[in-house]
Amino acid sequence: MTGVQFGELPYLTEGKGIRSCAYSPDGKSIALGFFHGKISVYSTSSWEIIQSLSGHSNVVQRVVYSPTGDMIASASMDETIRLWDMETGAQLHVLKEHTSIVTGIAFSPLGDFVASASSDKTVRLWDVMTGDCLKVLSGHTGEVFSVAYSPSGNQIASCSVDYTIRLWDVETGVCTRVLSGHTNGVYDVAYSPHGDQIASASSDKTVRLWDEETGTTLHTLTGHTNIVVSVAYSPNGDQVVSGSKDSTLRIWNVDTGSCRHTLTGHLNSAFAVSYSPRGDQVASASGDKTLRLWDASADSSRLVSSGHSASVESIRCSPKGDLIVSGSSDNTMHLWDAETGSCRRSLGGHNGTVFGVAYSPNGKWVASGGGIDKSVRLWNMESGKCQHVLTGHTNWVHSVAFSLKGDMVASGSEDKTVRVWKVATGDCFKILNGHFGRVNSVVFAPNGKQIATGSDDCTIRLWDIGTGEYWMVLREHTNSVRQVAYSPQGNQLASAGTDMTVRLWDAQTGECRMTLTNHTSEVRGVTYSSNGQLVASGSMDKTVRLWDALSGECRAVVENFPDSIYCVDWYTLNDVNYLVTGCKDGSLLKWEVYEEEEQLRVQLQWSAANGSLTVTGASIQGVHGLTALNHQLLKQREAVGEPEFMPRRASKRLITIAPMMMSSTRLRQSPEGTMDDYPSIADTPMEKPEQLGYISPLSSGRMRRGDMPLTN
């Protein structure tokens, strides 16, 4: 066990990619099949390996338990099926009659037979006691990828690269029905617990739910952005989980066909998914060498990953200051509760990095700009659905912005153009040409009559919306302009550059009033405070600097971030100033900014991170908030000392851990952390700033109270 993700259940990291996984019928163990041909069986209480099964010489495509849990069957690319005794780990049978890769395996409900699927285009039925092949089912015209027994045991379903699912009578071996509808190969198939439905996962990026009796399609589930490779029903049959090569899992409502949750965290394909027997957990196996466990309870707040799994490229706060939207290179957007830091919703749709996000002035819409798909998407925040997909750019979209009235959206692209769209219709009514490089940033002026853009051509251009022509070019930067921002009054413009500078401009004359030069690496983000008195800049030097907008004085530096700062935004709520930062490592942090004794202070409010806890050689002496399970996992990984445990139903005093580095140790806790079995603060009110804690960069794992260190 080499990773713990707070806000999720613990996850396993292995030395090789994991191709398959399955829970035992009693839920006390889980079997993993690896790319190197090994099988490991873990206890789900201690997460210790209780069996290591060796015999296959190639990838273990599938592992399944017998209904009684006393055997495991495995299917491999070495063209064999192996049956294992779970008590002794002994190999009972090696079944060898397939002439190509064995891709799927399933036990009959009584456990007396095994069905197998193969790239040799056949399904075979085997006697478990003797190992004899009893029947060969032929009919598919392409590789067969998966096979499943019906709960009655009278029928078998198989799916193939030939786009079809076939239903077979077990007694006669005859194909009784062919289910057609997918527009590409079908990778996985599963029966519902009651046997009245069949789910299928396909290369056409969809999951289909079928009526078993009539063979008609009940629902086509869309949302994945790549091939869907795995599917499973929950034990009660009301949910389906799917895993995809887009690195996500999706949980679907069987009755409505709607996507309930998108689970992000894997960095590679989710090859296999499995529900625990009680239905409270989902396990997913991935080529990223991890097995991840997800809480599948009814509480939706615990079904969203605690953070992005890749860099946060863009963030925007809602006009009311109650929500924050973030876009990431993990191809998703997250919607966060600004007060608690809990993730309200995850939105997937772009086929590539979400480079830009923007809120409409009334807060009802979010615009997003995507990479590979070259599109702008408009999302209804009430329903969470994408209402318009705006296409026309011929290269990646890097930035989006709403007009002051919210009736227009502007987008900047790698195709060197800016497009202006009507929100109501989705029509593009102006194309602004003039830049000679990628347009990294676009923003409307507060007066609603101008647009400012920053580009890789080292310039900022100011455009007249009415004519579509630029009327001024600002040229002081010596490298790419990454972001531009207007002051709330509209009289000043700030820009962030790859040349390590922040520049402040007179928005009317175009004069560069100040060049702010303290950053030591590329400046990626810049934003004004709500009153326009401060400018915040985030840099790849892992610092955020706060500047006086009139004098250019650097008022404060927030240091010790875990990675480069890619984006910053500012908002005010109840006369309190808050700064939000997004990092390359996928973390999102919210800070309170306030004056005390004429000094500017910054205090961390919460941190949302898809973070791991790497503790070799670290001390956990006296640390609050670790559960007994997390303590056990940390001790397995050589942590020293003893934490101070909190009772299961203790008062929920929030401990927020600021980003820090200490030798080889990185300790971060997501906002989902409560003093409960699996941390979550979705229902926990924020405490006063003086109740928050941080880990000093000079400490060895103990927490003490105080402000995030500032330097001038």
Coordinates of all heavy atoms in Angstrom, one line a residue, residues 18-65:
I18 N -2.5 -2.7 -13.7 CA -3.5 -3.6 -13.2 C -4.6 -3.7 -14.3 O -5.2 -2.8 -14.7 CB -4.2 -3.2 -11.9 CG1 -3.1 -2.9 -10.9 CG2 -5.1 -4.3 -11.4 CD1 -3.6 -2.3 -9.6
R19 N -4.8 -5.0 -14.8 CA -5.7 -5.2 -16.0 C -7.1 -5.6 -15.5 O -8.1 -5.4 -16.2 CB -5.1 -6.2 -16.9 CG -5.9 -6.5 -18.2 CD -6.0 -5.2 -19.0 NE -6.7 -5.4 -20.2 CZ -8.1 -5.4 -20.3 NH1 -8.8 -5.2 -19.3 NH2 -8.6 -5.6 -21.5
S20 N -7.2 -6.2 -14.3 CA -8.5 -6.8 -13.9 C -8.6 -6.8 -12.4 O -7.6 -6.9 -11.7 CB -8.7 -8.2 -14.5 OG -7.6 -9.0 -14.3
C21 N -9.9 -6.8 -11.9 CA -10.1 -6.9 -10.5 C -11.5 -7.5 -10.2 O -12.4 -7.4 -11.1 CB -10.0 -5.5 -9.8 SG -11.3 -4.3 -10.4
A22 N -11.6 -8.1 -9.1 CA -12.9 -8.7 -8.7 C -13.0 -8.8 -7.2 O -12.0 -9.2 -6.5 CB -13.1 -10.0 -9.3
Y23 N -14.1 -8.5 -6.6 CA -14.4 -8.7 -5.2 C -14.8 -10.2 -5.0 O -15.4 -10.8 -5.8 CB -15.5 -7.8 -4.7 CG -15.1 -6.4 -4.2 CD1 -15.3 -5.4 -5.1 CD2 -14.6 -6.2 -3.0 CE1 -15.0 -4.1 -4.7 CE2 -14.3 -4.9 -2.5 CZ -14.5 -3.9 -3.4 OH -14.2 -2.6 -3.0
S24 N -14.4 -10.7 -3.8 CA -14.9 -12.0 -3.4 C -16.4 -11.9 -3.0 O -16.9 -10.8 -2.7 CB -14.1 -12.6 -2.2 OG -14.3 -11.7 -1.1
P25 N -17.2 -13.0 -3.1 CA -18.6 -12.9 -2.7 C -18.9 -12.4 -1.4 O -19.9 -11.8 -1.1 CB -19.1 -14.4 -2.9 CG -18.1 -15.0 -3.8 CD -16.8 -14.4 -3.6
D26 N -18.0 -12.6 -0.4 CA -18.2 -12.1 1.0 C -17.6 -10.7 1.2 O -17.7 -10.2 2.3 CB -17.7 -13.1 2.0 CG -16.2 -13.4 1.9 OD1 -15.5 -12.7 1.1 OD2 -15.7 -14.3 2.6
G27 N -16.9 -10.2 0.2 CA -16.3 -8.9 0.3 C -15.0 -8.8 1.1 O -14.5 -7.7 1.3
K28 N -14.5 -9.9 1.6 CA -13.4 -9.9 2.5 C -12.0 -9.9 1.7 O -11.0 -9.7 2.3 CB -13.4 -11.2 3.4 CG -14.6 -11.1 4.4 CD -14.6 -12.3 5.3 CE -15.8 -12.2 6.3 NZ -15.8 -13.4 7.2
S29 N -12.1 -10.1 0.4 CA -10.9 -10.1 -0.3 C -11.1 -9.5 -1.7 O -12.3 -9.5 -2.2 CB -10.2 -11.5 -0.5 OG -11.1 -12.4 -1.2
I30 N -10.1 -9.1 -2.4 CA -10.2 -8.6 -3.8 C -9.0 -9.2 -4.5 O -7.9 -9.2 -4.0 CB -10.3 -7.1 -3.8 CG1 -10.7 -6.6 -5.2 CG2 -9.0 -6.5 -3.3 CD1 -11.1 -5.1 -5.2
A31 N -9.3 -9.7 -5.8 CA -8.2 -10.2 -6.6 C -7.9 -9.3 -7.7 O -8.8 -8.7 -8.3 CB -8.7 -11.6 -7.2
L32 N -6.6 -9.1 -8.0 CA -6.1 -8.3 -9.0 C -5.3 -9.1 -10.1 O -4.4 -9.9 -9.7 CB -5.2 -7.2 -8.5 CG -5.7 -6.3 -7.3 CD1 -4.7 -5.3 -6.9 CD2 -7.0 -5.7 -7.6
G33 N -5.6 -8.8 -11.3 CA -4.8 -9.5 -12.4 C -3.9 -8.4 -13.1 O -4.4 -7.3 -13.4
F34 N -2.6 -8.8 -13.3 CA -1.7 -7.8 -13.7 C -1.2 -8.0 -15.1 O -1.3 -9.1 -15.7 CB -0.4 -7.8 -12.8 CG -0.7 -7.4 -11.4 CD1 -1.1 -8.3 -10.4 CD2 -0.6 -6.0 -11.0 CE1 -1.4 -7.8 -9.1 CE2 -0.9 -5.6 -9.8 CZ -1.3 -6.5 -8.8
F35 N -0.6 -6.9 -15.7 CA 0.0 -7.0 -17.0 C 1.1 -8.0 -17.1 O 1.4 -8.5 -18.2 CB 0.4 -5.6 -17.5 CG -0.7 -4.8 -18.0 CD1 -1.5 -4.0 -17.1 CD2 -1.0 -4.7 -19.4 CE1 -2.5 -3.2 -17.6 CE2 -2.0 -3.9 -19.8 CZ -2.8 -3.2 -19.0
H36 N 1.8 -8.2 -16.0 CA 3.0 -9.1 -16.1 C 2.6 -10.6 -15.8 O 3.4 -11.5 -15.7 CB 4.1 -8.7 -15.1 CG 3.7 -8.6 -13.7 ND1 2.6 -9.3 -13.1 CD2 4.2 -8.0 -12.6 CE1 2.5 -9.1 -11.8 NE2 3.5 -8.2 -11.5
G37 N 1.2 -10.9 -15.7 CA 0.8 -12.2 -15.7 C 0.5 -12.8 -14.3 O 0.1 -13.9 -14.1
K38 N 0.8 -12.0 -13.2 CA 0.6 -12.4 -11.8 C -0.8 -12.1 -11.4 O -1.5 -11.2 -11.9 CB 1.6 -11.8 -10.9 CG 3.1 -11.9 -11.3 CD 3.5 -13.4 -11.3 CE 5.0 -13.5 -11.7 NZ 5.5 -14.9 -11.7
I39 N -1.2 -12.7 -10.3 CA -2.5 -12.4 -9.7 C -2.2 -12.3 -8.2 O -1.5 -13.1 -7.6 CB -3.5 -13.6 -9.8 CG1 -3.9 -13.8 -11.3 CG2 -4.8 -13.3 -9.0 CD1 -4.7 -15.0 -11.6
S40 N -2.7 -11.2 -7.6 CA -2.5 -10.9 -6.2 C -3.9 -10.8 -5.5 O -4.8 -10.2 -6.1 CB -1.7 -9.6 -5.9 OG -0.4 -9.7 -6.3
V41 N -4.1 -11.4 -4.4 CA -5.3 -11.4 -3.6 C -5.1 -10.7 -2.3 O -4.2 -11.0 -1.5 CB -5.9 -12.8 -3.3 CG1 -7.2 -12.7 -2.6 CG2 -6.0 -13.6 -4.6
Y42 N -5.8 -9.6 -2.1 CA -5.6 -8.7 -0.9 C -6.8 -9.0 0.1 O -7.9 -9.1 -0.4 CB -5.6 -7.3 -1.3 CG -4.3 -6.8 -1.9 CD1 -4.1 -6.9 -3.3 CD2 -3.4 -6.2 -1.1 CE1 -2.9 -6.4 -3.8 CE2 -2.2 -5.7 -1.6 CZ -2.0 -5.8 -3.0 OH -0.8 -5.4 -3.5
S43 N -6.5 -8.9 1.3 CA -7.5 -8.8 2.4 C -8.1 -7.3 2.3 O -7.3 -6.4 2.3 CB -7.0 -9.1 3.7 OG -7.8 -8.6 4.8
T44 N -9.4 -7.2 2.3 CA -10.0 -5.8 2.3 C -10.0 -5.2 3.7 O -10.4 -4.0 3.8 CB -11.4 -5.8 1.7 OG1 -12.2 -6.8 2.4 CG2 -11.3 -6.2 0.2
S45 N -9.6 -5.9 4.7 CA -9.6 -5.3 6.1 C -8.2 -4.8 6.4 O -8.0 -3.7 6.9 CB -10.0 -6.3 7.1 OG -9.2 -7.5 7.1
S46 N -7.2 -5.6 6.0 CA -5.8 -5.2 6.3 C -5.0 -4.6 5.1 O -4.0 -4.0 5.3 CB -5.0 -6.3 6.9 OG -4.8 -7.4 5.9
W47 N -5.5 -4.9 3.9 CA -4.9 -4.6 2.7 C -3.5 -5.2 2.6 O -2.5 -4.7 2.0 CB -4.8 -3.1 2.4 CG -6.2 -2.6 2.1 CD1 -7.0 -2.0 2.9 CD2 -7.0 -2.9 0.9 NE1 -8.3 -1.8 2.4 CE2 -8.2 -2.3 1.1 CE3 -6.7 -3.5 -0.3 CZ2 -9.2 -2.4 0.1 CZ3 -7.7 -3.6 -1.3 CH2 -8.9 -3.0 -1.0
E48 N -3.3 -6.4 3.2 CA -2.2 -7.2 3.0 C -2.4 -8.3 2.0 O -3.6 -8.7 1.8 CB -1.8 -7.9 4.4 CG -1.5 -7.0 5.5 CD -0.1 -6.3 5.4 OE1 0.6 -6.7 4.4 OE2 0.2 -5.4 6.1
I49 N -1.4 -8.7 1.2 CA -1.5 -9.8 0.2 C -1.7 -11.1 1.0 O -0.9 -11.5 1.8 CB -0.3 -9.8 -0.7 CG1 -0.3 -8.6 -1.6 CG2 -0.4 -11.1 -1.6 CD1 0.9 -8.5 -2.5
I50 N -2.8 -11.8 0.7 CA -3.0 -13.1 1.3 C -2.8 -14.3 0.3 O -2.6 -15.4 0.8 CB -4.4 -13.2 1.9 CG1 -5.5 -12.9 0.8 CG2 -4.6 -12.2 3.0 CD1 -6.9 -13.1 1.3
Q51 N -2.7 -14.0 -1.0 CA -2.3 -15.0 -1.9 C -1.6 -14.4 -3.1 O -2.1 -13.3 -3.6 CB -3.6 -15.8 -2.5 CG -4.2 -16.8 -1.5 CD -3.4 -18.0 -1.3 OE1 -2.3 -18.2 -1.8 NE2 -4.0 -18.9 -0.5
S52 N -0.6 -15.0 -3.6 CA 0.1 -14.6 -4.8 C 0.1 -15.8 -5.8 O 0.6 -16.9 -5.5 CB 1.5 -14.2 -4.6 OG 1.6 -13.0 -3.8
L53 N -0.6 -15.6 -6.9 CA -0.8 -16.8 -7.8 C 0.0 -16.5 -9.1 O -0.2 -15.5 -9.8 CB -2.3 -16.9 -8.2 CG -3.3 -16.9 -7.0 CD1 -4.7 -16.9 -7.5 CD2 -3.0 -18.0 -6.0
S54 N 0.9 -17.5 -9.4 CA 1.8 -17.4 -10.5 C 1.5 -18.6 -11.4 O 1.4 -19.7 -11.0 CB 3.2 -17.3 -10.1 OG 3.5 -16.2 -9.3
G55 N 1.6 -18.3 -12.7 CA 1.3 -19.4 -13.7 C 1.2 -18.9 -15.1 O 1.7 -19.4 -16.1
H56 N 0.4 -17.8 -15.2 CA 0.2 -17.2 -16.5 C 1.5 -16.5 -17.0 O 2.3 -16.0 -16.2 CB -0.9 -16.1 -16.5 CG -2.2 -16.6 -16.4 ND1 -2.8 -17.4 -17.4 CD2 -3.2 -16.5 -15.4 CE1 -4.0 -17.7 -17.1 NE2 -4.3 -17.2 -15.9
S57 N 1.7 -16.6 -18.3 CA 3.0 -16.0 -18.9 C 2.7 -14.7 -19.6 O 3.6 -14.2 -20.3 CB 3.6 -17.0 -19.8 OG 2.7 -17.3 -20.9
N58 N 1.5 -14.2 -19.5 CA 1.1 -12.9 -20.2 C 0.0 -12.2 -19.4 O -0.4 -12.7 -18.4 CB 0.7 -13.2 -21.6 CG 1.1 -12.0 -22.6 OD1 1.0 -10.9 -22.2 ND2 1.5 -12.3 -23.8
V59 N -0.5 -11.1 -19.9 CA -1.5 -10.3 -19.3 C -2.7 -11.1 -18.8 O -3.2 -11.9 -19.5 CB -2.0 -9.2 -20.2 CG1 -3.1 -8.3 -19.5 CG2 -0.8 -8.3 -20.7
V60 N -3.1 -10.9 -17.5 CA -4.3 -11.5 -17.0 C -5.5 -10.6 -17.3 O -5.7 -9.6 -16.7 CB -4.2 -11.7 -15.4 CG1 -5.5 -12.4 -14.9 CG2 -3.0 -12.6 -15.1
Q61 N -6.2 -11.0 -18.3 CA -7.3 -10.2 -18.9 C -8.5 -10.1 -17.9 O -9.1 -9.0 -17.8 CB -7.8 -10.7 -20.2 CG -6.7 -10.7 -21.3 CD -6.6 -9.3 -21.9 OE1 -5.9 -8.5 -21.4 NE2 -7.4 -9.1 -23.0
R62 N -8.8 -11.1 -17.2 CA -10.0 -11.2 -16.3 C -9.7 -12.1 -15.1 O -9.0 -13.1 -15.3 CB -11.2 -11.7 -17.0 CG -11.8 -10.8 -18.1 CD -12.4 -9.5 -17.6 NE -12.7 -8.6 -18.8 CZ -14.0 -8.4 -19.1 NH1 -15.0 -9.0 -18.5 NH2 -14.2 -7.6 -20.2
V63 N -10.2 -11.7 -14.0 CA -10.2 -12.6 -12.8 C -11.7 -12.6 -12.3 O -12.3 -11.5 -12.2 CB -9.2 -12.2 -11.7 CG1 -7.8 -12.5 -12.1 CG2 -9.4 -10.7 -11.3
V64 N -12.2 -13.8 -11.8 CA -13.5 -13.8 -11.3 C -13.5 -14.9 -10.1 O -12.7 -15.8 -10.2 CB -14.6 -14.2 -12.3 CG1 -14.8 -13.1 -13.3 CG2 -14.2 -15.5 -13.0
Y65 N -14.3 -14.6 -9.1 CA -14.5 -15.6 -8.0 C -15.6 -16.5 -8.4 O -16.6 -16.1 -9.0 CB -14.8 -14.9 -6.7 CG -13.6 -14.3 -6.0 CD1 -13.1 -13.0 -6.3 CD2 -13.0 -15.0 -5.0 CE1 -12.1 -12.5 -5.6 CE2 -11.9 -14.5 -4.3 CZ -11.5 -13.2 -4.6 OH -10.4 -12.7 -3.9

